[in-house]
Amino acid sequence: MNSNVENLPPHILRLVYKEISALAADPPEGIKIYPSEEDITELHTAIEGPEGTPFAGGIFRMRLVLGKDFPAVPPKGYFLTKIFHPNVGHKGEICVNVLKRDWKAELGLRHILLTIKCLLIHPNPESALNEEAGRLLLEDYAEYESRARLLTEIHAMGGTSGAPQDPNDGPQPKKHAGDPTKRAGPSAAAVPAVLGNGANGASTTSSNSNSSSSTNNVAGKKKADKKRALRRL
C-alpha cells in the first residue's frame, strides 16, 4: 500500500508523529509498537492474545494504515497474522465500529488499539466478515473455540510471531555438499592414511633407534679390542 505522507498536511504529520512516539514510549498493556521512520502513516503492532480466549499465548501482528483524509476518516486495520475470528476477513481486514461509524478524530490511535484487543475477548458476530466463524460462535462455541485455537497454534505461536530465529535460517557458508574431497580439512579417506603414516613414522623411528644402538655397541667393542692389543705390545 502506498504511503500517504505526502498527502497529509504538515500539522497532521506532526500530530501523528507525536502520538506514535508516545505510544512507543508507553504502549498499552499487551501491545508492542513498531513505528516506521520512513512512513509514519503505516503503524505496525503486535497484540498478545488475551488469557481466557482461544487466542491466548499467540502474538498477532497487525497494522494500521492512515489514509490521506486522516483524521477526518478513520484508519484501516489489518491483521497480518492469520486468525479465525468473526470480525476479521480472509485478507486480514478488521471490522469494528471504531474504524467505521463510531470514529471521532479525538479518539486517537491508542483507543483503536485497545478496542481491537478487546475485540479478541468479545467478538461481535452481528457484524461478521468471517461468516463461518460468526455462525460457529453463535451455534457451536466449542467448535469455534477449537478452530480459533488451532489457527492460533499454527500461525501465532513461534515462527514469524517472535520466536528465536532458527540458526539454520538465512545465508549459509558455501560448501561442496556431497563431495568430501572438496571440504575443508582432511577427507574421510585421508584420515586412515594420515594415521597410517603416523604409525609407520613411529616404527621407522623405533627402527632407527635400534640401528643406532647396535652401531654404538660395535664401535665400543672395536675400541676395547684396540686397547687390549696395545697392552700386549
Side-chain angles (χ1 to χ4, degrees), residues 1-219:
M1 194 170 292
N2 295 330
S3 169
N4 287 301
V5 171
E6 296 180 356
N7 297 323
L8 291 174
H11 72 283
I12 297 297
L13 289 175
R14 285 194 293 270
L15 290 174
V16 171
Y17 179 81
K18 182 178 180 180
E19 184 172 9
I20 290 178
S21 297
L23 277 172
D26 182 24
E29 184 179 356
I31 300 176
K32 292 184 179 180
I33 310 297
Y34 301 99
S36 171
E37 295 181 357
E38 299 178 356
D39 184 4
I40 64 172
T41 67
E42 184 168 320
L43 178 64
H44 285 248
T45 69
I47 301 178
E48 296 177 8
E51 292 297 326
T53 73
F55 314 109
I59 302 294
F60 297 87
R61 294 182 299 116
M62 191 203 73
R63 71 176 180 178
L64 291 177
V65 180
L66 313 185
K68 61 184 179 64
D69 296 319
F70 181 84
V73 176
K76 293 184 182 297
Y78 301 89
F79 271 101
L80 303 178
T81 302
K82 193 171 181 63
I83 183 174
F84 188 73
H85 190 288
N87 306 114
V88 181
H90 296 291
K91 295 183 179 180
E93 62 273 27
I94 301 171
C95 179
V96 64
N97 287 337
V98 74
L99 296 179
K100 292 186 175 181
R101 63 176 181 267
D102 290 349
W103 169 253
K104 296 177 182 178
E106 58 267 23
L107 291 178
L109 301 178
R110 181 182 293 271
H111 180 79
I112 293 175
L113 295 175
L114 289 172
T115 302
I116 292 174
K117 183 180 178 182
C118 287
L119 195 65
L120 297 181
I121 302 173
H122 302 292
N124 182 10
E126 295 179 0
S127 61
L129 290 178
N130 185 330
E131 294 182 1
E132 184 181 12
R135 179 182 60 81
L136 288 175
L137 179 63
L138 292 174
E139 300 176 2
D140 187 352
Y141 183 80
E143 179 63 19
Y144 163 76
E145 184 178 39
S146 176
R147 292 276 297 277
R149 183 65 185 169
L150 178 63
L151 261 70
T152 297
E153 292 175 353
I154 294 174
H155 298 286
M157 294 183 176
T160 57
S161 299
Q165 187 178 10
D166 189 326
N168 292 324
D169 290 345
Q172 297 293 311
K174 292 183 179 180
K175 59 182 178 182
H176 303 275
D179 187 355
T181 62
K182 295 183 179 180
R183 293 176 185 166
S187 66
V191 172
V194 171
L195 293 177
N197 289 341
N200 291 340
S203 299
T204 302
T205 302
S206 177
S207 298
N208 291 340
S209 177
N210 293 337
S211 177
S212 175
S213 177
S214 299
T215 303
N216 291 337
N217 290 338
V218 171

